[in-house]
Amino acid sequence: MGKNKVYILDTNVVLHDYNCLKKFSSADIAIPITVLEEIDDFKKGRDQLNFNAREFIRQLDILTDKRAEDRDAVFTTGVSLGEEKGNLIILSDVKYKNGFEDKFFGDKEDHHILAGAYNYKKLNPEKEVIFVTKDVNLRIKARALGIVSEDYRAGKVKDSEFEVKSNIILKDLPSDLLLELGENGVISPESIKAWYDKKIQPHNFFVLENEELSLLGRYDPFTNKIKLIKPKTIFGISAKNTEQSFAIDLLIDDRVSLITVTGSAGTGKTLLALAASLFRYKKYKQIYLSRPIVPLSNKDIGYLPGTAKNKIEPYMQPLYDNLSFIQDRFKEDDENYQIIDELQKKGKLIIAPLAYIRGRTFSNIFFIVDEAQNLTPHEVKTIVTRAGEGTKIVFTGDINQIDSPFLDRESNGLAYLMDRLKGHKLCGKVVLKVGERSVLSEVASKLL
């Protein structure tokens, strides 16, 4: 019979997922008291981290109040986490002791959390102690003390399918089949089975070609047909490559309620999403552009001078830049130029941080979330569950360019979203591969 497992959680696990106490099956969970002190510093504010801190504290209060006859149980034997679950223990002994202080010194909270795990492991050699943290450096430090450490795995994507190109290339197709698609605008999925015998997923894109013809198509799950994708200019923006043609076709389809557009810098993710929203502005009550604020060096924006608006503007500037790029394609007396000004004046085109959406319901809105790779899975869920009737949400981002210190390619919200919603007809994805910002930008993206 193996040892009883005890998972000791770091602060960043709680802030990443306030429901983390429910994710460890029947194992015991221990929390160093220093973690509670750190969480207390996060309980005030409007950001997702603040919300997570408050929710976790509420859960902790309910759990520790179950044993009214023994208030100290949570610090000794532990309190039950529920039926077929383990116990929750709060570790109050976080002092540096022999074997610890000769490796780590300095009065750092991270070291006190590690000391709590170290002391518990020494007192309970019969148990398998596992330290869980999203901090890579802290995992290495734990291993230096002989403590098994691992990343928090709940919500992680198990494979890398979200990176695969969204288009399927079929060659040497008969000319009469391509002519049928070109003339009628649709062909049946059965007509290409001899060249593609795998199951066709909703919104799969196709490059259909032979030596004479080459056409683009998308499988439409609403009609069970492969429809022709024709070149289209939307609010002054035209596709510069095949993937951008796919993106435009999907973005302006009102039946598709959730779209992810991924790609490296300069591939046109945000620009295409914004152009599509302006192209369809009459269909929606409002266009809402947003992105998470990930401050430099992880310092809160309160460190910056000025008003709240002044603090936020630098983080929103890339969205304004894309809007200006589209508007500058028209002369000032052009109707499209004036439409953009009018939408902003009437509050129908809003650029704001994601922290401002909590508690709101978005009905009949074209909602663009930029830099979505910096969101947690829970934050992505919060955004999507805000969607009311008639709303379209577009998430853009690059899973290889994550600014949050506690997210990676497998645990970020954008990858989680693509993995969980793949195959649903209301959801589509486009992977942009070719940089179009400039030749220099594309070379730098590949080589640097």
Side-chain angles (χ1 to χ4, degrees):
M1 187 174 179
K3 293 182 179 180
N4 291 332
K5 284 186 178 181
V6 180
Y7 290 96
I8 299 179
L9 308 188
D10 189 15
T11 310
N12 49 61
V13 173
V14 172
L15 295 177
H16 179 78
D17 180 5
Y18 66 82
N19 279 319
C20 59
L21 296 179
K22 302 173 183 177
K23 307 292 176 65
F24 291 91
S25 189
S26 59
D28 291 340
I29 298 175
I31 299 175
I33 200 163
T34 311
V35 169
L36 302 186
E37 293 172 4
E38 288 192 317
I39 292 171
D40 195 58
D41 293 335
F42 283 92
K43 67 184 181 184
K44 294 180 181 178
R46 298 179 58 179
D47 290 340
Q48 185 66 43
L49 290 179
N50 309 124
F51 172 80
N52 288 356
R54 291 191 294 268
E55 285 299 308
F56 182 79
I57 291 168
R58 291 189 187 104
Q59 289 186 18
L60 208 59
D61 182 53
I62 293 170
L63 286 168
T64 55
D65 197 45
K66 286 180 179 179
R67 294 273 299 269
E69 72 282 1
D70 186 1
R71 298 287 185 182
D72 294 331
V74 72
F75 299 102
T76 54
T77 58
V79 296
S80 174
L81 287 164
E83 190 175 348
E84 296 185 359
K85 297 284 184 181
N87 286 340
L88 171 68
I89 307 163
I90 295 176
L91 308 179
S92 56
D93 183 6
V94 292
K95 294 178 181 178
Y96 298 178
K97 294 185 178 180
N98 290 338
F100 185 94
E101 55 191 7
D102 58 343
K103 291 186 176 67
F104 300 105
F105 52 89
D107 194 31
K108 295 179 65 174
E109 290 180 326
D110 276 358
H111 290 171
H112 282 290
I113 291 170
L114 266 184
Y118 180 80
N119 296 340
Y120 185 82
K121 185 176 186 297
K122 287 290 185 183
L123 287 171
N124 300 275
E126 77 284 359
K127 295 184 179 180
E128 182 182 354
V129 175
I130 302 168
F131 181 59
V132 182
T133 178
K134 299 193 72 60
D135 186 332
V136 177
N137 283 339
L138 208 54
R139 291 204 292 270
I140 295 171
K141 289 180 178 181
R143 290 164 191 156
L145 293 167
I147 302 171
V148 176
S149 61
E150 61 183 45
D151 192 5
Y152 181 62
R153 302 184 188 281
K156 276 203 167 194
V157 176
K158 295 180 181 178
D159 55 51
S160 57
E161 282 188 12
F162 50 82
E163 290 186 281
V164 177
K165 274 189 176 184
S166 49
N167 57 303
I168 299 163
I169 300 174
L170 302 183
K171 297 182 178 183
D172 301 323
L173 295 174
S175 293
D176 57 348
L177 181 61
L178 295 178
L179 289 172
E180 180 187 347
L181 177 60
E183 291 174 3
N184 300 333
V186 295
I187 56 174
S188 69
E190 289 75 22
S191 64
I192 63 167
K193 274 192 174 181
W195 297 268
Y196 189 76
D197 58 0
K198 297 179 183 177
K199 182 180 180 181
I200 299 177
Q201 297 295 328
H203 311 296
N204 270 157
F205 296 104
F206 291 90
V207 178
L208 308 162
E209 59 188 18
N210 60 23
E211 292 181 355
E212 299 174 348
L213 294 170
S214 180
L215 298 175
L216 304 180
R218 170 166 65 94
Y219 173 63
D220 185 343
F222 301 98
T223 61
N224 191 30
K225 299 287 185 182
I226 295 173
K227 64 183 284 285
L228 177 68
I229 296 177
K230 297 179 181 180
K232 198 170 189 67
T233 298
I234 53 172
F235 229 82
I237 302 298
S238 300
K240 290 187 175 183
N241 56 58
T242 299
E243 285 80 13
Q244 286 194 355
S245 294
F246 292 151
I248 289 173
D249 181 69
L250 194 61
L251 286 164
I252 62 175
D253 189 336
D254 296 323
R255 300 168 303 168
V256 187
S257 302
L258 192 151
I259 298 170
T260 60
V261 185
T262 62
S264 59
T267 51
K269 307 179 294 292
T270 310
L271 182 68
L272 292 174
L274 180 53
S277 70
L278 292 169
F279 181 74
R280 303 293 288 140
Y281 82 92
K282 291 182 181 179
K283 164 75 177 175
Y284 298 94
K285 182 177 68 176
Q286 194 176 56
I287 299 168
Y288 200 107
L289 292 85
S290 193
R291 59 182 356 218
I293 293 177
V294 182
L296 205 57
S297 300
N298 299 310
K299 286 193 173 182
D300 188 83
I301 61 172
Y303 283 85
L304 297 174
T307 64
K309 185 179 179 182
N310 296 144
K311 296 172 192 286
I312 288 166
E313 278 181 347
Y315 300 102
M316 300 295 109
Q317 192 59 47
L319 298 178
Y320 287 109
D321 291 344
N322 277 286
L323 188 61
S324 296
F325 180 86
I326 294 174
Q327 190 171 30
D328 290 344
R329 300 181 77 82
F330 307 102
K331 294 181 179 180
E332 289 189 17
D333 60 352
D334 189 283
E335 181 185 4
N336 286 333
Y337 187 101
Q338 295 169 1
I339 284 172
I340 293 175
D341 281 341
E342 195 69 18
L343 288 172
Q344 290 184 89
K345 287 176 184 177
K346 291 184 176 181
K348 291 190 173 183
L349 195 162
I350 295 174
I351 299 177
L354 280 173
Y356 288 13
I357 74 163
R358 183 165 298 286
R360 295 186 60 185
T361 297
F362 292 97
S363 298
N364 198 29
I365 285 176
F366 198 116
F367 193 176
I368 300 169
V369 182
D370 195 28
E371 300 291 340
Q373 77 278 1
N374 288 319
L375 297 171
T376 67
H378 182 78
E379 286 171 325
V380 164
K381 180 180 177 180
T382 299
I383 294 165
V384 177
T385 54
R386 297 287 105 198
E389 286 296 324
T391 287
K392 185 187 194 82
I393 306 179
V394 180
F395 289 89
T396 68
D398 177 6
I399 60 167
N400 295 310
Q401 192 177 2
I402 296 171
D403 301 312
S404 174
F406 302 126
L407 295 177
D408 58 31
R409 286 159 48 87
E410 296 177 332
S411 64
N412 71 85
L414 182 58
Y416 178 81
L417 181 70
M418 288 189 283
D419 180 68
R420 292 303 175 94
L421 295 183
K422 63 186 176 185
H424 198 291
K425 68 179 182 180
L426 293 179
C427 308
K429 76 162 186 176
V430 183
V431 181
L432 303 179
K433 293 291 184 180
V434 182
E436 298 290 355
R437 186 171 288 163
S438 67
V439 176
L440 175 61
S441 173
E442 177 67 1
V443 169
S445 178
K446 289 181 178 178
L447 301 181
L448 298 181

